[in-house]
Amino acid sequence: MSTEDESFHPLGQEWENELETMLDDTEYDSDLGMQMAEDAMRVTKGELSEADFHEKYHDDVMEEFGVDDRPTEEAYEEAQKNAGGFAEMLKSVDSDGEESRRGMMKKMGAGAAFVGLGAFGASEGGSESEPNVAAAQEGDDTEQDVQWGMAIDLERCDGCLSCVEACAEENNLDRGVNWMYVLDYEDNGVDTSRNRLVRPCQHCTDAPCEKVCPTTARHTRDNDGLVLTDYDVCIGCRYCQVACPYGVNYFQWDEPDITTEDIEAQAQEEMGDHDHDSDVPHDHMSDERGRWVDSRAPRGVMSKCTMCPTRQDGGMGEDAVGTTACEDACPPDAIQFGNMFDDNSDPQTYADNPARGRALSDIDMSVPSADALEDDLDGADDDLESVLEASEDLDEETLRIMKAIEIVSEDFGEGDASHTEYEQNIVDAFDALEAHGLDLDSEEVLVGLDLADEPDEDEEFDGPDESAAQTVLVNEAGEPDSNFQLLEDMGTNPNIIYLGNEPGPQAEQVEGPVAYEDVEADLADGSSVPLADNRKDVLDEMTVGDAGVSL
Amino acid sequence: MSTKTPSEDDILRPMHTFTKKYVLLFAIAALALGAFLVGWMYQLQQGMAVTGLSDWGSGGGVTWGLYIGAFIWWVGIAHGGIILSAAVRLLGMDRYMPVARLAEMLTLAGLSAAGFYILVHMGRPDRMVTSVIGHYHITVNNSPLVWDVTVITAYFVLTATYLGLTLRYDIARLRDDLPSFSPNVGGKQLPDLLAPVYDVLTLGYTKAEDKVIDRMVWWVALAIIIMAPLLLHGGVIPWLFAVLPNYPSWFGGIQGPQFLTIALTSAISGVILLSYAFRRAYDWDHIITDDIFRGLLLWLGFFCLLFLWLQLQQLATGSFHSTTTHSYATASKLSHPMYVGPMLMVLGVLVYIFAQTIRPSLFSKGRAIAAGLLVLTATLVEKTYFVLSGFWYPSFNIYDGSPGEYFPSVIELLSIAGTIGMVTLFFLVLSKLVPVVELHAVEHLRGDHGHGHEHDHEPVEESAEQPEVEA
Ligand code: SF4
Ligand code: SF4
């Protein structure tokens, strides 16, 4: 921010001017509004107490709006009541970025601006809000904090097609519309079980499909980088399918099997209970912007993997944000979905240290609960040996891996990524052990678990040995030979990181362990239909004059 | 016969005759178009699944097929036609003046057919206006498909203007002899319905404008010739494919020149067929002379040579030491009948054309027609193969479903007959309304007759050829 800028608001003079114009457009008193906005800023900075703020303006506000019950009064009262106070509310919207801030202003009406909501967006100060401020100053409203993407561990995938099935069920796809596709392949004649590819849409940052689209139907969502198709705009020219080098697009050649009514009914039933963001319609089709981009496409338009925008928008509840149907369904946790911009997200942490990620997921079933530990340890001694002996579920190997994971991890058990749940279980178990008196960071325990070197006589114990811990994890869970992005040389900047073997140009698909036809998907109309590998087989039924020959 | 003097009556003849053959041809063409329209309605009702297409990749098919192949074919014919006519006007190739207007009309007809294919190929043609025009300002920056639509529209307008301008001269002079149409509806005699059309076309015409129009036409012709490699079949249309690195058989700068040669060969072939049909129908031997056919054939030979030469370039670069996927694509070319066949056809035509320049007695109009038909078939098949081969041999060829299966459905095949019917109807109708040979050409032939040394030997050959043609 320039030093000359005398604005009270961290978003700068421009923002203030905008606020003022907004207020001028209402029949309310602009000066009072601006004054309130300024004081609201002071509240968020802690310079003014909330009670004082309330007292200072309550009467004025009531006088201004109270008479004829304008929505602003409600907004004000609502803010007081719901967000646990004004400052809290300001803080809670802070991270949502410029777009939603404006959206919210609009929603609550100009009256909201009046009561000083213009202050939010910079309530906390500090580093977190700085990007917003910077973005606002550049007048850049395409700021993006989130880029959804995946890390896919091909060596963990066992080819069960659970993800393909889950995707078909989530999106009510026609047979052979395999938004998620899993294939085994042979490369130069070598066929090992490791030659497997899991292939959703790569949600490319530089998506050629979007570039060629003659209608902007194929587009990237500004706030989270998902590459989506607006089913209401697409003309079905199929150029996106042509331009995508990965072959992930599926055109809706005929009337889809499942009606929108069925999809909506299913969505009402399944999503109805979630307390969800009111922005997102309950139909599993429109996203938070109100564009029809989710679930199977209607006839005559293009479709492909969406990375579940309804989930990401909070339409299926807070827990489903940052997850996809395929990720949830994958038994060996081969799919890690999350924010590629965040170093602590599932995909980034997993790609960063796959052995750790694998071990974490493997060990989860064996980590004893804190309660069980407490019961087992009751009355036992607090040295390592006694603890291990007394505990039924905890053996030395498990504890070693648990501890090794902790040693190689940063911010263990913190954050909101899915893997932190696993970490949290370990933290709980550790807490129970510590409560019993076992010091997990002590020389005795670490050396006992081979996670630290025993110091020489004259040396001091220097804590855990990270490389030893890493070796434990690699030995336990293995490590992929390589990680790669698919067809990197195409310049698409895909948002999927693969761990494992990269298929070469001579790779050819071979039969996988599970046949598509042997897996059934339960769809919204109550039917159970087998998946189909080859869409053409399904479509041939409708071809006029199909002679069964090919050019 | 060429001993006859071309006259205004000659070029007015299509408007003053009404034969059974005309009715028959009209009926056949209408039937072909009608049959396809029914097919298209069915496609609109059922969805694109009635075609033989599917998704490429795991979908086991090809995304685009005959519709797009035929689209390129028609745009090629159209663009070649306008280049041909522009060359005639720009370079003063007066020899071909009698067929210049036919070439222009072929451009309009071809562009209409191509535009129609764009609609036919779409999943939601009803959104063409809202979705495409509505976002035009954004998409025009990077979607080759939008460039295509732009260019096709622009050239339609340009050609129509061009044609309109040159028609003014003719209509103003021949106005009294042009047909009228005043039907009697329920005992009431309506006024001449065609008169307003002619009036609009000649609105404000004075003889003084002829020179200006001549200049204007010259400039438009210049613009067309300059823009041809950039915007027509030498640029925007091939870019639809050539800019995509994921298809070895499409990618690369050679597609521009390659498409241009295809446009020119097919347009010349189209003009040969059309000219022959009109000459035959209206006894225009002395207007569309054998000499024109010889000349057109020679040009056809030249562009066939270029066509094959550029194909050769691709075969060489694709097989010498190419990448794995590119070599698959090239191997397919060398073995696939849809590629080898057209190449042999064009080569055959080339050999014939060169042979008949050395031994003129090898020329006959029948053979010229055959050459035209062969080239048109070859370009349609080759272009369709070109589209398919992209999907068959993509860079990412891991899928079991690739190369995908494809055979055009009955509806897709009908579309070829339908659009040919549509173009035929276009000419049948237009020839009843305006002269398809310019008045200029007749005047020119009259003024020139017997002077040009090229024409000196004509009568001899003409009589020698005649029986063969009739046979
Ligand atoms: S993989 Fe990339 S290019 Fe292909 S559809 Fe997805 S975003 Fe588009
Ligand atoms: S099929 Fe639809 S989304 Fe794809 S390029 Fe065409 S208009 Fe765009």
Side-chain angles (χ1 to χ4, degrees), chain A residues 348-395:
Chain A
Q348 291 294 11
T349 35
Y350 197 96
D352 192 41
N353 190 345
R356 188 203 88 100
R358 290 174 177 185
L360 187 62
S361 142
D362 283 347
I363 199 91
D364 188 56
M365 296 298 277
S366 332
V367 174
S369 72
D371 290 347
L373 279 174
E374 256 170 54
D375 290 350
D376 289 352
L377 297 181
D378 197 23
D381 276 348
D382 61 3
D383 61 306
L384 181 60
E385 213 170 314
S386 319
V387 164
L388 289 175
E389 208 156 297
S391 156
E392 219 169 280
D393 299 326
L394 190 66
D395 58 18

Short mmCIF file of all heavy atoms in Angstrom, two decimals, chain A residues 348-395:
data_model
loop_
_atom_site.label_atom_id
_atom_site.label_comp_id
_atom_site.label_asym_id
_atom_site.label_seq_id
_atom_site.Cartn_x
_atom_site.Cartn_y
_atom_site.Cartn_z
N GLN A 348 0.07 -32.91 -1.69
CA GLN A 348 1.45 -32.40 -1.63
C GLN A 348 2.27 -33.14 -0.59
O GLN A 348 3.42 -33.49 -0.84
CB GLN A 348 1.46 -30.89 -1.35
CG GLN A 348 0.93 -30.05 -2.51
CD GLN A 348 1.78 -30.10 -3.77
OE1 GLN A 348 2.68 -30.92 -3.89
NE2 GLN A 348 1.49 -29.24 -4.73
N THR A 349 1.69 -33.38 0.58
CA THR A 349 2.47 -34.12 1.58
C THR A 349 2.75 -35.54 1.11
O THR A 349 3.84 -36.07 1.31
CB THR A 349 1.76 -34.20 2.96
OG1 THR A 349 0.37 -34.31 2.73
CG2 THR A 349 2.05 -33.02 3.81
N TYR A 350 1.75 -36.11 0.45
CA TYR A 350 1.93 -37.49 -0.02
C TYR A 350 3.02 -37.55 -1.07
O TYR A 350 3.91 -38.40 -1.03
CB TYR A 350 0.62 -38.01 -0.58
CG TYR A 350 0.57 -39.52 -0.70
CD1 TYR A 350 -0.01 -40.30 0.29
CD2 TYR A 350 1.09 -40.17 -1.82
CE1 TYR A 350 -0.06 -41.68 0.19
CE2 TYR A 350 1.06 -41.54 -1.93
CZ TYR A 350 0.47 -42.30 -0.92
OH TYR A 350 0.43 -43.67 -1.03
N ALA A 351 2.95 -36.63 -2.04
CA ALA A 351 3.95 -36.64 -3.12
C ALA A 351 5.33 -36.32 -2.57
O ALA A 351 6.35 -36.82 -3.05
CB ALA A 351 3.57 -35.65 -4.20
N ASP A 352 5.34 -35.49 -1.55
CA ASP A 352 6.60 -35.08 -0.95
C ASP A 352 7.30 -36.26 -0.29
O ASP A 352 8.52 -36.40 -0.36
CB ASP A 352 6.29 -33.99 0.08
CG ASP A 352 7.55 -33.31 0.55
OD1 ASP A 352 8.40 -33.06 -0.32
OD2 ASP A 352 7.67 -33.05 1.76
N ASN A 353 6.53 -37.09 0.36
CA ASN A 353 7.12 -38.24 1.04
C ASN A 353 6.15 -39.43 0.96
O ASN A 353 5.43 -39.72 1.90
CB ASN A 353 7.41 -37.89 2.51
CG ASN A 353 8.25 -38.95 3.20
OD1 ASN A 353 8.39 -40.07 2.69
ND2 ASN A 353 8.80 -38.62 4.35
N PRO A 354 6.14 -40.10 -0.17
CA PRO A 354 5.16 -41.17 -0.38
C PRO A 354 5.27 -42.29 0.65
O PRO A 354 4.26 -42.86 1.06
CB PRO A 354 5.49 -41.70 -1.78
CG PRO A 354 6.37 -40.70 -2.42
CD PRO A 354 7.02 -39.91 -1.33
N ALA A 355 6.49 -42.59 1.09
CA ALA A 355 6.65 -43.67 2.07
C ALA A 355 5.89 -43.32 3.35
O ALA A 355 5.20 -44.15 3.94
CB ALA A 355 8.12 -43.90 2.36
N ARG A 356 6.01 -42.08 3.76
CA ARG A 356 5.30 -41.62 4.94
C ARG A 356 3.80 -41.73 4.74
O ARG A 356 3.06 -42.25 5.57
CB ARG A 356 5.67 -40.16 5.24
CG ARG A 356 5.13 -39.64 6.55
CD ARG A 356 5.03 -38.12 6.55
NE ARG A 356 3.74 -37.70 6.03
CZ ARG A 356 2.72 -37.34 6.81
NH1 ARG A 356 2.85 -37.30 8.13
NH2 ARG A 356 1.57 -37.02 6.27
N GLY A 357 3.35 -41.26 3.58
CA GLY A 357 1.91 -41.29 3.29
C GLY A 357 1.37 -42.71 3.29
O GLY A 357 0.31 -42.99 3.85
N ARG A 358 2.12 -43.59 2.67
CA ARG A 358 1.68 -44.98 2.61
C ARG A 358 1.64 -45.60 4.00
O ARG A 358 0.66 -46.24 4.40
CB ARG A 358 2.63 -45.80 1.75
CG ARG A 358 2.56 -45.46 0.30
CD ARG A 358 3.63 -46.20 -0.46
NE ARG A 358 3.56 -45.95 -1.88
CZ ARG A 358 4.34 -46.56 -2.77
NH1 ARG A 358 5.26 -47.43 -2.35
NH2 ARG A 358 4.23 -46.31 -4.04
N ALA A 359 2.72 -45.37 4.76
CA ALA A 359 2.80 -45.96 6.09
C ALA A 359 1.66 -45.43 6.96
O ALA A 359 1.02 -46.18 7.70
CB ALA A 359 4.15 -45.64 6.72
N LEU A 360 1.39 -44.15 6.83
CA LEU A 360 0.34 -43.53 7.63
C LEU A 360 -1.00 -44.20 7.36
O LEU A 360 -1.77 -44.48 8.28
CB LEU A 360 0.28 -42.04 7.30
CG LEU A 360 -0.63 -41.17 8.14
CD1 LEU A 360 -0.19 -41.18 9.60
CD2 LEU A 360 -0.64 -39.73 7.62
N SER A 361 -1.26 -44.43 6.08
CA SER A 361 -2.53 -45.04 5.73
C SER A 361 -2.56 -46.52 6.15
O SER A 361 -3.56 -47.02 6.64
CB SER A 361 -2.76 -44.85 4.24
OG SER A 361 -3.35 -45.96 3.67
N ASP A 362 -1.43 -47.20 5.99
CA ASP A 362 -1.38 -48.62 6.36
C ASP A 362 -1.57 -48.83 7.85
O ASP A 362 -2.25 -49.75 8.28
CB ASP A 362 0.01 -49.20 6.01
CG ASP A 362 0.12 -49.47 4.53
OD1 ASP A 362 -0.93 -49.46 3.86
OD2 ASP A 362 1.26 -49.67 4.05
N ILE A 363 -0.93 -47.97 8.61
CA ILE A 363 -0.85 -48.19 10.04
C ILE A 363 -2.16 -47.85 10.74
O ILE A 363 -2.43 -48.33 11.84
CB ILE A 363 0.32 -47.36 10.63
CG1 ILE A 363 0.75 -47.89 12.00
CG2 ILE A 363 -0.06 -45.92 10.78
CD1 ILE A 363 1.82 -48.91 11.88
N ASP A 364 -2.98 -47.06 10.07
CA ASP A 364 -4.15 -46.51 10.76
C ASP A 364 -4.99 -47.58 11.42
O ASP A 364 -5.45 -47.41 12.55
CB ASP A 364 -4.99 -45.69 9.79
CG ASP A 364 -6.09 -44.95 10.52
OD1 ASP A 364 -5.73 -44.20 11.46
OD2 ASP A 364 -7.27 -45.15 10.21
N MET A 365 -5.16 -48.69 10.73
CA MET A 365 -6.00 -49.74 11.29
C MET A 365 -5.37 -50.33 12.56
O MET A 365 -6.07 -50.84 13.42
CB MET A 365 -6.19 -50.88 10.28
CG MET A 365 -6.92 -50.46 9.03
SD MET A 365 -8.59 -49.90 9.39
CE MET A 365 -9.42 -51.48 9.48
N SER A 366 -4.05 -50.27 12.66
CA SER A 366 -3.39 -50.91 13.80
C SER A 366 -3.15 -49.97 14.97
O SER A 366 -2.74 -50.41 16.04
CB SER A 366 -2.03 -51.47 13.38
OG SER A 366 -2.02 -51.82 12.04
N VAL A 367 -3.39 -48.67 14.75
CA VAL A 367 -3.15 -47.75 15.86
C VAL A 367 -4.23 -47.96 16.93
O VAL A 367 -5.40 -47.84 16.65
CB VAL A 367 -3.18 -46.29 15.38
CG1 VAL A 367 -3.09 -45.32 16.55
CG2 VAL A 367 -2.06 -46.03 14.39
N PRO A 368 -3.79 -48.33 18.14
CA PRO A 368 -4.80 -48.57 19.18
C PRO A 368 -5.44 -47.27 19.63
O PRO A 368 -4.81 -46.22 19.59
CB PRO A 368 -3.98 -49.20 20.32
CG PRO A 368 -2.58 -48.78 20.07
CD PRO A 368 -2.42 -48.48 18.61
N SER A 369 -6.67 -47.35 20.03
CA SER A 369 -7.34 -46.13 20.49
C SER A 369 -6.81 -45.76 21.87
O SER A 369 -6.30 -46.61 22.61
CB SER A 369 -8.84 -46.37 20.55
OG SER A 369 -9.13 -47.23 21.65
N ALA A 370 -6.95 -44.50 22.20
CA ALA A 370 -6.46 -44.01 23.49
C ALA A 370 -7.14 -44.75 24.64
O ALA A 370 -6.49 -45.13 25.62
CB ALA A 370 -6.69 -42.50 23.58
N ASP A 371 -8.44 -45.00 24.49
CA ASP A 371 -9.19 -45.68 25.55
C ASP A 371 -8.65 -47.08 25.79
O ASP A 371 -8.42 -47.50 26.94
CB ASP A 371 -10.67 -45.78 25.17
CG ASP A 371 -11.31 -44.41 25.20
OD1 ASP A 371 -10.68 -43.48 25.75
OD2 ASP A 371 -12.42 -44.27 24.65
N ALA A 372 -8.44 -47.79 24.67
CA ALA A 372 -7.94 -49.16 24.79
C ALA A 372 -6.59 -49.17 25.49
O ALA A 372 -6.32 -50.00 26.35
CB ALA A 372 -7.84 -49.81 23.42
N LEU A 373 -5.76 -48.20 25.10
CA LEU A 373 -4.43 -48.12 25.72
C LEU A 373 -4.55 -47.89 27.22
O LEU A 373 -3.90 -48.54 28.02
CB LEU A 373 -3.61 -47.00 25.08
CG LEU A 373 -2.93 -47.34 23.75
CD1 LEU A 373 -2.27 -46.10 23.16
CD2 LEU A 373 -1.90 -48.46 23.93
N GLU A 374 -5.38 -46.94 27.56
CA GLU A 374 -5.54 -46.62 28.99
C GLU A 374 -5.94 -47.87 29.77
O GLU A 374 -5.36 -48.17 30.82
CB GLU A 374 -6.64 -45.56 29.15
CG GLU A 374 -6.08 -44.18 29.44
CD GLU A 374 -7.15 -43.13 29.36
OE1 GLU A 374 -8.19 -43.28 30.05
OE2 GLU A 374 -6.96 -42.17 28.57
N ASP A 375 -6.93 -48.60 29.24
CA ASP A 375 -7.39 -49.82 29.91
C ASP A 375 -6.26 -50.82 30.06
O ASP A 375 -6.02 -51.36 31.14
CB ASP A 375 -8.53 -50.48 29.10
CG ASP A 375 -9.78 -49.63 29.18
OD1 ASP A 375 -9.80 -48.68 30.00
OD2 ASP A 375 -10.72 -49.90 28.41
N ASP A 376 -5.56 -51.04 28.93
CA ASP A 376 -4.50 -52.06 28.93
C ASP A 376 -3.39 -51.71 29.91
O ASP A 376 -2.82 -52.58 30.57
CB ASP A 376 -3.88 -52.21 27.53
CG ASP A 376 -4.85 -52.87 26.56
OD1 ASP A 376 -5.90 -53.35 27.03
OD2 ASP A 376 -4.55 -52.90 25.34
N LEU A 377 -3.06 -50.42 29.93
CA LEU A 377 -1.87 -50.03 30.66
C LEU A 377 -2.11 -49.85 32.16
O LEU A 377 -1.17 -49.66 32.92
CB LEU A 377 -1.30 -48.72 30.09
CG LEU A 377 -0.82 -48.82 28.64
CD1 LEU A 377 -0.26 -47.48 28.18
CD2 LEU A 377 0.22 -49.92 28.50
N ASP A 378 -3.34 -49.92 32.52
CA ASP A 378 -3.67 -49.70 33.92
C ASP A 378 -2.86 -50.65 34.80
O ASP A 378 -2.94 -51.87 34.67
CB ASP A 378 -5.18 -49.94 34.12
CG ASP A 378 -5.63 -49.33 35.43
OD1 ASP A 378 -4.92 -48.41 35.91
OD2 ASP A 378 -6.66 -49.78 35.96
N GLY A 379 -2.02 -50.07 35.63
CA GLY A 379 -1.24 -50.88 36.55
C GLY A 379 0.10 -51.34 36.02
O GLY A 379 0.92 -51.87 36.77
N ALA A 380 0.36 -51.12 34.72
CA ALA A 380 1.64 -51.57 34.18
C ALA A 380 2.72 -50.55 34.49
O ALA A 380 2.43 -49.40 34.78
CB ALA A 380 1.52 -51.77 32.68
N ASP A 381 3.98 -51.01 34.38
CA ASP A 381 5.10 -50.08 34.56
C ASP A 381 5.15 -49.12 33.40
O ASP A 381 4.53 -49.33 32.38
CB ASP A 381 6.42 -50.86 34.64
CG ASP A 381 6.64 -51.36 36.06
OD1 ASP A 381 5.89 -50.89 36.96
OD2 ASP A 381 7.53 -52.23 36.25
N ASP A 382 5.99 -48.05 33.56
CA ASP A 382 6.00 -47.06 32.49
C ASP A 382 7.26 -47.12 31.63
O ASP A 382 7.56 -46.18 30.91
CB ASP A 382 5.76 -45.65 33.04
CG ASP A 382 6.86 -45.25 34.01
OD1 ASP A 382 7.81 -46.06 34.20
OD2 ASP A 382 6.77 -44.14 34.55
N ASP A 383 7.97 -48.20 31.64
CA ASP A 383 9.08 -48.32 30.70
C ASP A 383 8.58 -48.95 29.40
O ASP A 383 7.52 -49.55 29.36
CB ASP A 383 10.21 -49.16 31.29
CG ASP A 383 9.76 -50.56 31.61
OD1 ASP A 383 8.73 -50.68 32.36
OD2 ASP A 383 10.36 -51.52 31.10
N LEU A 384 9.35 -48.78 28.35
CA LEU A 384 8.91 -49.20 27.01
C LEU A 384 8.50 -50.67 26.98
O LEU A 384 7.45 -51.03 26.48
CB LEU A 384 10.04 -48.94 26.01
CG LEU A 384 9.74 -49.31 24.55
CD1 LEU A 384 8.55 -48.55 24.03
CD2 LEU A 384 10.96 -49.07 23.68
N GLU A 385 9.36 -51.49 27.56
CA GLU A 385 9.10 -52.93 27.48
C GLU A 385 7.79 -53.31 28.17
O GLU A 385 6.97 -54.03 27.59
CB GLU A 385 10.26 -53.68 28.15
CG GLU A 385 10.53 -55.01 27.50
CD GLU A 385 11.84 -55.60 28.02
OE1 GLU A 385 12.84 -54.82 28.08
OE2 GLU A 385 11.85 -56.77 28.41
N SER A 386 7.59 -52.76 29.33
CA SER A 386 6.36 -53.09 30.07
C SER A 386 5.14 -52.59 29.33
O SER A 386 4.10 -53.26 29.26
CB SER A 386 6.37 -52.45 31.47
OG SER A 386 7.64 -52.56 32.04
N VAL A 387 5.27 -51.39 28.77
CA VAL A 387 4.12 -50.82 28.06
C VAL A 387 3.74 -51.72 26.88
O VAL A 387 2.58 -52.06 26.68
CB VAL A 387 4.43 -49.39 27.58
CG1 VAL A 387 3.43 -48.93 26.53
CG2 VAL A 387 4.46 -48.43 28.76
N LEU A 388 4.76 -52.09 26.11
CA LEU A 388 4.47 -52.93 24.94
C LEU A 388 3.87 -54.26 25.37
O LEU A 388 2.98 -54.80 24.72
CB LEU A 388 5.75 -53.16 24.13
CG LEU A 388 6.26 -51.94 23.37
CD1 LEU A 388 7.60 -52.24 22.70
CD2 LEU A 388 5.24 -51.45 22.36
N GLU A 389 4.37 -54.77 26.49
CA GLU A 389 3.88 -56.05 26.98
C GLU A 389 2.43 -55.96 27.43
O GLU A 389 1.60 -56.81 27.09
CB GLU A 389 4.75 -56.51 28.15
CG GLU A 389 4.79 -58.01 28.27
CD GLU A 389 6.05 -58.44 29.00
OE1 GLU A 389 7.16 -58.16 28.46
OE2 GLU A 389 5.92 -58.96 30.10
N ALA A 390 2.14 -54.86 28.11
CA ALA A 390 0.81 -54.71 28.69
C ALA A 390 -0.24 -54.42 27.62
O ALA A 390 -1.41 -54.79 27.75
CB ALA A 390 0.80 -53.59 29.73
N SER A 391 0.19 -53.72 26.60
CA SER A 391 -0.81 -53.32 25.60
C SER A 391 -1.09 -54.46 24.62
O SER A 391 -0.18 -55.08 24.09
CB SER A 391 -0.29 -52.10 24.82
OG SER A 391 -0.92 -52.05 23.58
N GLU A 392 -2.37 -54.68 24.39
CA GLU A 392 -2.74 -55.79 23.55
C GLU A 392 -2.50 -55.49 22.08
O GLU A 392 -2.05 -56.33 21.32
CB GLU A 392 -4.24 -56.05 23.76
CG GLU A 392 -4.60 -57.51 23.77
CD GLU A 392 -6.03 -57.66 24.23
OE1 GLU A 392 -6.27 -57.61 25.47
OE2 GLU A 392 -6.90 -57.79 23.37
N ASP A 393 -2.86 -54.23 21.67
CA ASP A 393 -2.82 -53.91 20.23
C ASP A 393 -1.51 -53.29 19.80
O ASP A 393 -1.25 -53.18 18.61
CB ASP A 393 -3.95 -52.94 19.89
CG ASP A 393 -5.29 -53.55 20.20
OD1 ASP A 393 -5.40 -54.78 20.03
OD2 ASP A 393 -6.20 -52.81 20.62
N LEU A 394 -0.74 -52.82 20.73
CA LEU A 394 0.45 -52.08 20.34
C LEU A 394 1.68 -52.97 20.42
O LEU A 394 2.06 -53.41 21.50
CB LEU A 394 0.62 -50.87 21.27
CG LEU A 394 1.68 -49.87 20.85
CD1 LEU A 394 1.31 -49.18 19.56
CD2 LEU A 394 1.92 -48.84 21.96
N ASP A 395 2.27 -53.25 19.26
CA ASP A 395 3.53 -53.98 19.32
C ASP A 395 4.66 -53.02 18.97
O ASP A 395 4.44 -51.88 18.56
CB ASP A 395 3.52 -55.21 18.42
CG ASP A 395 3.24 -54.85 16.97
OD1 ASP A 395 3.40 -53.66 16.62
OD2 ASP A 395 2.84 -55.74 16.19
#
